[in-house]
Amino acid sequence: MSPTRTPDVLVIGGGIIGLVTAWRAAQRGLAAAVVDPDPGGGAAQVAAGMLAAVTELHHGEQTLLGLNLASARRYPGFAAELTDLTGQDLGYRRCGTLAVALDSDDRAELRELHALQRQSGLDSQWLSGRDCRRLEPMLAPGVRGGLRVDGDHQIDPRRLAAALLAACGRAGVVLHRERAERLTVAGDRATGVVTRSGAVLGAGQVVLAAGSWSGRLAGVPDDVLPPVRPVKGQVLRLSVPQRYAPFLSRTVRAVVRGSQVYLVPRENGELVVGATSEELGWDTTVTAGGVYELLRDAHELVPGLTELPLTETRAGLRPGSPDNAPLLGPTALDGLLLATGHHRNGVLLTPVTGEVLAHALVTGGLPEEARAFSPRRFAPVERAA
Ligand code: GLY
């Protein structure tokens, strides 16, 4: 597409959700553009990349589970397609997950999760503490039991973002490396954006995919502004020297004193430890307390971890929504669609989001599997009808 032609679709936000939307739209024959000062950045630069539909199941989130599983099923084909197209390795590792309990409260909670998983028809196996340690010898001797979930895998979100950026380039997606300052609306229709430098970018349709910032874009009418909020996550990266490999062979996670901790081992020796979950607005400070809690909890799980070099500490913002599920597709404002609110599941939901949004952009409607995630579920009553 020529940079001067008005695109069919302008995506606000060049994180993995915005990029997959633009890429899939371009594959469907739409002229697509993305506006973002740092395409390929965003929460994916912090996220661990667990594809944890089964181990992150929560009571009351069975509808979301359906979408999570639909996306997990797409992952093998999605990753293969991106790698074939770009030649880039995504760090997609079908290694499974082990969720363990360190005391009797944790064990009771894990038993509850197991019951919920079984009621939901999911594949998950209860193991004794000894069997957990047989699988993962670095686990603490005090581990009291665990759930083996062979279907919850991982991908490296930084590599995924880089590959999506390359795929967009190949598909002719135009990148505007600028911040979108305001949505423009003419009559009752979204028409594009004005950027921070004052450039006016018009488009046939606009997709707001700016993560937590989606709820702050000026010019979006109040009744369609997505109710997303930032949920801070602090994450650590360590490196496993060759002499310790394999340190862990799969993702290991637990709830320790009510906080989630997970250890995600990459094939390249990186070990990601996450994540805090903090309602602190726009703050992205890495704090001593956050790092201390993550290391303390991870050390209880895997004591040998304190020998490893600590290579990075970082904080990012998950786009939380009122029901923890994403907002996908058309809004009550013609020409404006949303792809935001993915909260803890942005990486997992990337494949299905791309397809759902491309479908919505081409047909004007949502496929059956995504109807429950329409932004209209949050619309004021008079506009929802
Ligand atoms: N899904 C992991 C997290 O959000 O921390």
Side-chain angles (χ1 to χ4, degrees):
M1 186 182 81
S2 134
T4 50
R5 182 181 148 197
T6 300
D8 300 313
V9 186
L10 176 65
V11 181
I12 304 171
I16 53 176
I17 295 298
L19 292 176
V20 79
T21 298
W23 176 46
R24 289 302 196 201
Q27 285 182 320
R28 301 278 290 255
L30 300 177
V34 172
V35 55
D36 190 309
D38 178 26
Q45 294 301 313
V46 182
M50 287 180 302
L51 308 175
V54 178
T55 39
E56 288 214 5
L57 176 62
H58 296 287
H59 281 285
E61 293 186 1
Q62 273 86 348
T63 309
L64 176 59
L65 171 67
L67 194 70
N68 286 343
L69 290 173
S71 207
R73 277 193 296 275
R74 283 168 166 86
Y75 244 103
F78 173 79
E81 183 184 354
L82 262 180
T83 295
D84 285 352
L85 191 70
T86 64
Q88 298 189 20
D89 172 15
L90 307 181
Y92 177 51
R93 191 172 175 199
R94 302 177 76 168
C95 58
T97 296
L98 184 64
V100 301
L102 287 166
D103 62 25
S104 51
D105 286 348
D106 297 345
R107 191 166 58 179
E109 197 173 320
L110 216 50
R111 287 275 191 200
E112 274 289 307
L113 174 62
H114 192 213
L116 181 61
Q117 290 166 338
R118 288 163 63 111
Q119 277 162 29
S120 309
L122 301 170
D123 204 5
S124 157
Q125 184 191 358
W126 183 264
L127 298 182
S128 67
R130 181 178 299 173
D131 285 341
C132 290
R133 282 190 301 281
R134 252 189 220 124
L135 276 184
E136 295 297 340
M138 296 304 285
L139 279 174
V143 164
R144 306 279 296 269
L147 287 176
R148 176 177 176 166
V149 178
D150 286 342
D152 276 2
H153 303 309
Q154 60 152 304
I155 194 164
D156 184 336
R158 293 177 176 175
R159 292 175 181 226
L160 173 61
L164 283 170
L165 200 53
C168 281
R170 282 169 183 261
V173 173
V174 172
L175 298 178
H176 299 280
R177 293 176 185 269
E178 289 203 69
R179 189 169 301 286
E181 196 88 332
R182 158 176 296 274
L183 184 79
T184 54
V185 177
D188 265 344
R189 191 174 174 86
T191 55
V193 300
V194 178
T195 68
R196 183 162 285 181
S197 72
V200 179
L201 306 176
Q205 299 184 80
V206 179
V207 179
L208 179 50
S212 336
W213 288 272
S214 304
R216 297 186 105 184
L217 184 68
V220 180
D222 283 348
D223 59 350
V224 289
L225 200 61
V228 292
R229 66 184 197 286
V231 181
K232 178 178 174 182
Q234 301 191 49
V235 174
L236 318 176
R237 284 175 162 78
L238 295 89
S239 113
V240 178
Q242 198 50 45
R243 65 182 183 282
Y244 292 138
F247 190 76
L248 294 173
S249 65
R250 72 201 69 222
T251 297
V252 170
R253 56 185 302 154
V255 178
V256 183
R257 288 177 290 271
S259 301
Q260 297 269 355
V261 63
Y262 46 78
L263 285 73
V264 183
R266 305 242 194 269
E267 249 151 18
N268 65 4
E270 185 177 75
L271 180 68
V272 186
V273 178
T276 64
S277 192
E278 303 165 77
E279 302 273 357
L280 286 176
W282 301 96
D283 173 56
T284 51
T285 315
V286 175
T287 63
V291 174
Y292 165 71
E293 281 170 26
L294 287 172
L295 284 177
R296 181 196 61 197
D297 295 350
H299 174 254
E300 280 192 38
L301 272 188
V302 178
L305 169 131
T306 46
E307 303 292 320
L308 305 180
L310 174 64
T311 52
E312 190 183 326
T313 58
R314 195 137 171 196
L317 299 172
R318 307 174 184 89
S321 78
D323 58 6
N324 298 330
L327 290 82
L328 304 175
T331 65
L333 177 66
D334 278 348
L336 179 67
L337 296 86
L338 299 182
T340 187
H342 291 71
H343 197 212
R344 299 182 67 92
N345 296 304
V347 180
L348 172 60
L349 289 173
T350 296
V352 78
T353 298
E355 285 183 32
V356 165
L357 264 291
H359 178 101
L361 287 161
V362 170
T363 68
L366 284 171
E368 180 59 39
E369 65 187 344
R371 294 225 171 110
F373 304 97
S374 164
R376 293 173 196 248
R377 71 189 188 278
F378 297 121
V381 175
E382 63 274 21
R383 290 225 25 188

